[in-house]
Amino acid sequence: MKIISIANQKGGVGKTTTSINLSAALAQEGKRVLLIDADPQANASSGLGVNIRQLQTTIYECLVGGEPAKKAILPTQQENLFVLPAHIDLVGAEIEMINLQDRELLLRNLLKEVKDEYDYVIIDCSPSLGIITVNCLTASDTVIIPVQCEYFALEGISKLLNTIKIIKSKLNPQLNIEGFLLTMYDNRLRLANQVYEEVRRHFGPLVFNTVISRNVRLSEAPSHGMSVLAYDPSSKGAQNYRELAKELIARQK
């Protein structure tokens, strides 16, 4: 079983899109997948068709109120894919968690009871480096860092890498970078190609071979409460995430 955080404190880089669609693609490959929504915006939950207004138990109640994860985990419309949803209340969790004992380890401890039931746990981190993201990274085996193919793409990554380094030295020595994933790539733009080259030059073998192209279907799918693989299986976006899932699985062998 592998726990992977999708993290980058820069917003709008395709973090939630990647969390939803990589989870769906892994589930299509026959893997049992749990997607954890650790972002107060709860976009990964609603993007998989969860009605977040009607939820009784979310990751917030689990982290702050000590509810077991099993109580909050929901099946999705897709076979093999489950979600631990979020709620806007999660915004307040940062403050409430300050006084809790072992506050950096809450998520790791929460997952102990369910992790044998899944092949992959994918965590959609919020675009900040607060205590909840620290929890996510402390609970994870690896991190996927989405990088948008645009100007300033590498800005802020050094901050994230530094956070990963601190967590590795203090809380989770096993934590590694799974890879950098280039998103919103448009091969017609010179800038996109320059960013692609620059990221490859910087991080070499850590960059996934799969690149996620700019694709209208990718941005339409969440408003229908579906992954792009369910919404338009033949689209470029669906194809890209299927390739990414296969690349990820191949690395495990």
Side-chain angles (χ1 to χ4, degrees):
M1 205 272 313
K2 190 161 199 184
I3 303 176
I4 304 172
S5 271
I6 316 276
N8 188 337
Q9 79 276 19
K10 196 172 188 287
V13 295
K15 226 179 4 265
T16 301
T17 302
T18 295
S19 303
I20 292 173
N21 294 303
L22 174 57
S23 298
L26 287 166
Q28 267 193 4
E29 291 290 320
K31 306 292 178 189
R32 272 180 74 83
V33 184
L34 173 63
L35 172 59
I36 296 180
D37 192 348
D39 183 349
Q41 294 173 53
N43 290 341
S45 308
S46 56
L48 279 174
V50 174
N51 184 343
I52 50 180
R53 286 187 200 83
Q54 291 181 345
L55 296 173
Q56 303 293 308
T57 316
T58 67
I59 189 170
Y60 170 79
E61 283 77 17
C62 297
L63 291 175
V64 176
E67 292 285 0
K70 277 191 172 130
K71 197 171 164 187
I73 292 171
L74 301 169
T76 66
Q77 292 152 355
Q78 187 176 336
E79 196 184 357
N80 293 327
L81 178 57
F82 300 82
V83 64
L84 175 53
H87 191 273
I88 189 72
D89 287 353
L90 203 54
V91 169
E94 300 262 335
I95 297 154
E96 293 174 60
M97 285 162 79
I98 286 170
N99 301 320
L100 298 177
Q101 203 181 352
D102 294 334
R103 59 179 183 263
E104 295 89 359
L105 308 176
L106 293 170
L107 185 59
R108 182 197 280 178
N109 295 335
L110 184 71
L111 290 178
K112 276 182 187 156
E113 54 173 285
V114 296
K115 62 181 196 183
D116 295 340
E117 296 174 29
Y118 302 99
D119 300 306
Y120 287 93
V121 175
I122 304 288
I123 308 176
D124 184 24
C125 298
S126 75
S128 77
L129 294 176
I131 187 78
I132 291 177
T133 300
V134 169
N135 260 273
C136 298
L137 296 174
T138 303
S140 296
D141 300 306
T142 60
V143 190
I144 290 176
I145 303 171
V147 180
Q148 191 178 355
C149 289
E150 54 145 62
Y151 201 59
F152 296 136
L154 295 176
E155 203 180 66
I157 284 184
S158 58
K159 222 184 236 147
L160 177 63
L161 295 180
N162 198 35
T163 303
I164 291 170
K165 206 162 107 193
I166 293 166
I167 287 171
K168 207 174 153 77
S169 68
K170 300 230 179 346
L171 294 162
N172 181 6
Q174 275 75 48
L175 184 65
N176 285 309
I177 292 171
E178 184 72 51
F180 291 85
L181 174 68
L182 289 153
T183 61
M184 305 182 195
Y185 177 71
D186 184 343
N187 62 0
R188 296 166 306 180
L189 300 179
R190 207 170 91 212
L191 179 64
N193 292 303
Q194 284 169 345
V195 171
Y196 178 82
E197 294 304 328
E198 194 184 351
V199 174
R200 281 233 175 261
R201 201 170 55 243
H202 260 277
F203 301 110
L206 278 177
V207 183
F208 282 101
N209 294 324
T210 307
V211 173
I212 309 299
S213 299
R214 225 174 237 298
N215 180 252
V216 177
R217 293 290 189 243
L218 274 177
S219 37
E220 287 173 358
S223 63
H224 297 269
M226 293 160 117
S227 72
V228 74
L229 291 92
Y231 179 64
D232 186 351
S234 61
S235 66
K236 186 84 174 118
Q239 213 176 316
N240 289 161
Y241 280 106
R242 277 196 293 269
E243 283 163 21
L244 180 63
K246 287 189 170 83
E247 188 176 344
L248 190 63
I249 291 166
R251 288 179 171 200
Q252 250 72 104
K253 289 175 179 159

